C-alpha cells in the first residue's frame, strides 16, 4: 500500500523529503549535495570477495546514500569529475551503465553533449534517455567523446580487450575514460576462465553471478596494452575537497583514469 502511494509522489518531492528526513552533520553526499546523519550499509562479503581481497566489492557499513542511493564508489568518481570543473567546460561525454545521481547531475549541465547507454537501456529510462550500446561494438564514429564514464562494466564483458579497444577508438585524443572495476589486492594476474559459464559457477569463482573474471594487478597493464596512458588518482592525496572524511570513501580505492594521448 505504502509502495503504491510512493510511486505517485514526484521524484523532486521525494528527494526533498528524504533530504529533510536524513538531515545531519556527520556525513555529506557530494552526488546529491545532502548533509546527512549516516550512510546506509550495503554490499556482501561473499567468499571470493574476502579470499581475493577485492577492492570495490563487499560489505561496507557506510555504503550508499539514503537520499540518492549513490554508493561510496559513485561519490569518489563524482568527486574526481567535480575537481575537473566540467561544469565550466563544453565537452562530449559518453556514460555507460549510468549511475543515477551522476547522470542526473550531468544531464542538468546544458553545455555538455551527454549520451548515456547500456545493453539494457530500459533499466535507466526513469532518469535518462539511454540508448542501446554494446561496448564491444560502440555505435559511434572514431574520436567522438572527450570523456567516457564506464564503471564496473568490464568485469561483465567476456571479450574485455575488444571493449577496451572500442572505448579507445571512440575517445578523442587528449580525452580520458574512467574505467573502475573491482580489483583484487592480492592477485598479480587476472583470474578468468571461459569454461566457467553458469551463474552458480560465476558466483562461486568470481563473487557475482554475472561477473566473468576477477581483475588482478595486471588490470592497468591490460588497459595500457590497448593504447591508454593510465593514471591512478588518489582522492585522499590529490583532492582539494576540504571535508573528504565526510564522504566515507573507501580508503583503498582509487580512480582509474585511462587517457588517450594527443596525436603527434
Ligand atoms: Zn546522495
Amino acid at each position: 500500500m505504502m509502495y503504491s502511494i510512493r510511486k505517485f509522489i514526484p521524484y523532486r518531492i521525494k528527494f526533498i523529503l528524504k533530504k529533510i528526513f536524513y538531515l545531519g552533520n556527520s556525513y555529506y553526499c557530494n552526488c546529491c549535495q545532502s548533509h546527512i546523519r549516516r550512510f546506509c550499509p550495503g554490499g556482501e562479503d561473499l567468499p571470493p570477495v574476502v579470499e581475493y581481497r577485492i577492492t570495490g566489492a563487499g560489505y561496507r557499513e557506510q555504503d550508499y546514500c539514503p537520499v540518492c542511493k549513490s554508493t561510496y564508489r559513485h561519490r569518489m568518481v563524482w568527486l574526481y569529475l567535480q575537481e575537473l570543473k566540467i561544469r565550466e567546460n563544453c565537452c562530449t561525454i559518453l556514460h555507460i551503465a549510468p549511475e543515477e545521481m551522476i547522470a542526473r547531475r550531468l544531464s542538468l549541465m546544458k553545455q555538455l553533449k551527454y549520451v548515456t547507454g547500456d545493453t539494457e537501456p530500459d533499466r535507466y529510462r526513469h532518469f535518462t534517455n539511454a540508448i542501446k550500446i554494446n561496448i564491444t561494438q560502440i555505435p559511434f564514429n572514431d574520436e567522438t567523446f572527450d570523456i567516457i564514464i564506464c564503471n564496473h562494466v568490464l568485469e561483465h564483458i567476456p571479450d574485455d580487450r575488444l571493449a577496451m579497444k572500442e572505448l579507445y577508438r571512440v575517445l578523442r585524443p587528449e580525452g580520458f575514460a574512467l574505467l573502475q572495476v573491482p580489483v583484487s589486492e592480492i592477485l598479480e594476474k587476472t583470474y578468468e576462465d571461459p569454461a566457467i559459464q553458469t551463474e552458480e559457477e560465476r558466483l562461486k569463482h568470481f563473487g557475482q553471478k554475472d561477473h566473468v573474471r576477477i581483475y588482478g594487478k595486471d588490470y592497468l597493464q591490460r588497459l595500457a596494452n590497448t593504447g591508454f596512458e593510465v593514471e591512478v588518482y588518489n582522492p585522499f592525496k590529490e583532492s582539494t575537497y576540504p571535508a573528504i572524511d565526510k564522504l566515507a570513501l573507501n580508503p583503498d580505492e582509487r580512480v582509474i583514469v585511462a587517457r588517450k594521448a594527443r596525436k603527434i
Side-chain angles (χ1 to χ4, degrees):
M1 178 67 179
M2 277 305 286
Y3 175 73
S4 53
I5 294 170
R6 278 206 300 258
K7 239 177 32 180
F8 294 104
I9 304 173
Y11 169 79
R12 194 70 208 154
I13 304 289
K14 271 194 279 196
F15 184 77
I16 291 167
L17 289 175
K18 282 195 271 187
K19 258 172 133 45
I20 296 167
F21 185 78
Y22 292 104
L23 184 68
N25 259 333
S26 302
Y27 294 99
Y28 178 69
C29 175
N30 57 334
C31 292
C32 67
Q33 298 173 294
S34 300
H35 293 274
I36 53 176
R37 294 192 298 280
R38 59 172 174 81
F39 289 109
C40 300
E44 204 178 346
D45 277 340
L46 291 164
V49 173
V50 177
E51 184 187 343
Y52 295 111
R53 293 189 11 216
I54 300 176
T55 303
Y59 176 83
R60 266 180 68 82
E61 188 68 32
Q62 305 278 349
D63 186 322
Y64 70 90
C65 167
V67 178
C68 74
K69 302 279 189 282
S70 297
T71 71
Y72 61 95
R73 302 192 321 237
H74 306 162
R75 296 193 289 278
M76 184 180 68
V77 165
W78 184 242
L79 179 68
Y80 180 79
L81 291 170
Q82 281 181 303
E83 299 272 352
L84 295 177
K85 299 188 169 45
I86 50 172
R87 180 179 287 280
E88 293 156 24
N89 298 309
C90 178
C91 64
T92 303
I93 299 182
L94 173 64
H95 194 172
I96 301 292
E99 296 89 347
E100 179 169 349
M101 202 60 223
I102 294 176
R104 287 186 187 272
R105 296 285 301 271
L106 291 174
S107 300
L108 291 172
M109 297 180 189
K110 296 301 174 202
Q111 84 285 13
L112 301 178
K113 286 187 194 124
Y114 179 55
V115 178
T116 57
D118 192 84
T119 47
E120 296 174 50
D122 291 346
R123 287 171 53 200
Y124 305 87
R125 288 274 152 74
H126 60 291
F127 62 88
T128 185
N129 294 321
I131 59 171
K132 190 168 176 68
I133 296 179
N134 168 355
I135 62 164
T136 60
Q137 205 175 355
I138 301 175
F140 286 94
N141 292 333
D142 297 0
E143 303 181 1
T144 300
F145 299 99
D146 299 297
I147 299 174
I148 298 173
I149 307 167
C150 181
N151 295 320
H152 286 247
V153 174
L154 289 169
E155 69 273 21
H156 298 263
I157 310 292
D159 194 347
D160 65 333
R161 288 179 175 89
L162 178 57
M164 289 172 187
K165 256 171 130 172
E166 275 293 274
L167 293 164
Y168 187 86
R169 179 185 67 76
V170 298
L171 201 56
R172 285 192 183 132
E174 295 189 81
F176 69 87
L178 299 182
L179 302 175
Q180 302 301 108
V181 293
V183 179
S184 163
E185 286 174 35
I186 57 171
L187 281 178
E188 293 296 326
K189 199 169 169 300
T190 293
Y191 171 40
E192 55 194 336
D193 180 352
I196 298 171
Q197 285 282 345
T198 67
E199 291 189 348
E200 293 75 26
E201 282 181 318
R202 285 174 173 171
L203 183 67
K204 189 173 138 212
H205 286 268
F206 307 133
Q208 197 167 308
K209 64 183 183 187
D210 54 354
H211 284 186
V212 296
R213 67 182 64 79
I214 297 174
Y215 283 108
K217 293 176 187 169
D218 58 347
Y219 173 57
L220 303 186
Q221 189 55 51
R222 197 174 283 205
L223 290 171
N225 292 347
T226 308
F228 287 112
E229 291 177 358
V230 185
E231 281 174 24
V232 177
Y233 172 83
N234 179 349
F236 295 93
K237 283 195 179 151
E238 296 173 63
S239 170
T240 57
Y241 190 73
I244 198 160
D245 289 347
K246 288 199 167 191
L247 305 180
L249 305 181
N250 180 345
D252 299 322
E253 196 162 21
R254 305 287 179 259
V255 181
I256 308 300
V257 187
R259 296 187 182 280
K260 185 168 182 173
R262 190 186 344 168
K263 277 184 189 161
I264 301 167

